[in-house]
């Protein structure tokens, strides 16, 4: 049946969102506790993630100032493509109803150099390191 492939996923996600909206969650461990308590979805905590910022920052051209908040006036859709030489380039537009992708032409190059190693691992912050005032 076409269009019904994700029915179970949609149901689980809907239940998850409804549960999470009822609580203020300031830490990953509190979210994990809540998910286990309500048996919403099977979950497991990861204790490290890749540090993409450290890995990419020295290799990227600074592209700033074109995106804003959800209700702002900036660009909201982005497309990344490799050109014939293998350079990754970006185009963006304000919405799916905008007819023009910007910039005109080949797009902005993302990388100065292509990273040639895997990103390093970064430890997740423990609960006591999260500043509650920044997430409220």
């Amino acid at each position: 049946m076409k269009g019904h492939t994700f029915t179970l996923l949609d149901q689980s996600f809907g239940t998850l969102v409804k549960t999470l909206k009822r609580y203020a969650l300031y830490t990953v461990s509190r979210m994990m506790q809540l998910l286990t308590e309500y048996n919403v979805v099977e979950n497991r905590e990861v204790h490290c993630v890749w540090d993409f910022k450290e890995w990419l920052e020295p290799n990227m051209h600074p592209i700033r100032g074109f995106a804003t908040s959800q209700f702002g006036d900036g660009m909201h859709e982005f497309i990344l493509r490799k050109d014939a030489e293998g350079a990754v380039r970006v185009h963006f537009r304000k919405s799916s109803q905008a007819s023009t992708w910007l910039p005109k032409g080949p797009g902005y190059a993302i990388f100065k150099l292509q990273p040639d190693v895997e990103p390093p691992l970064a430890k997740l912050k423990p609960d006591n390191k999260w500043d509650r005032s920044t997430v409220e």
Side-chain angles (χ1 to χ4, degrees), residues 27 71-72 107 109 115:
T27 64
F71 305 106

Side-chain angles (χ1 to χ4, degrees), residues 3-136:
H4 296 280
T5 357
F6 295 102
T7 303
L8 292 175
L9 179 62
D10 290 344
Q11 288 172 345
S12 296
F13 188 73
T15 303
L16 171 66
V17 169
K18 284 178 192 169
T19 302
L20 294 177
K21 281 183 173 182
R22 295 181 7 212
Y23 299 92
L25 301 171
Y26 302 107
T27 64
V28 172
S29 61
R30 176 63 182 124
M31 182 178 70
M32 297 296 289
Q33 178 187 9
L34 183 74
L35 295 175
T36 302
E37 185 179 320
Y38 282 86
N39 199 24
V40 176
V41 291
E42 183 179 332
N43 61 78
R44 66 186 168 111
E45 187 173 354
V46 294
H47 297 281
C48 59
V49 294
W50 283 289
D51 188 346
F52 286 106
K53 182 176 181 179
E54 180 185 319
W55 181 62
L56 289 174
E57 202 163 48
N59 298 308
M60 291 186 69
H61 289 290
I63 299 175
R64 294 184 174 88
F66 57 86
T68 60
S69 70
Q70 177 182 358
F71 305 106
D73 196 26
M75 303 297 173
H76 293 272
E77 289 195 3
F78 305 87
I79 189 163
L80 298 161
R81 291 190 178 124
K82 274 189 178 180
D83 65 15
E85 290 80 41
V88 177
R89 299 187 172 274
V90 65
H91 288 86
F92 30 81
R93 64 184 179 178
K94 287 188 178 235
S95 76
S96 59
Q97 286 141 17
S99 59
T100 307
W101 287 94
L102 300 172
K104 294 184 188 275
Y108 294 126
I110 296 292
F111 298 107
K112 298 174 195 172
L113 299 169
Q114 189 78 22
D116 58 355
V117 296
E118 290 186 6
L121 290 179
K123 293 281 186 192
L124 293 179
K125 292 193 284 188
D127 288 350
N128 63 351
K129 296 293 182 189
W130 288 96
D131 182 6
R132 183 176 172 163
S133 65
T134 62
V135 293
E136 288 189 280

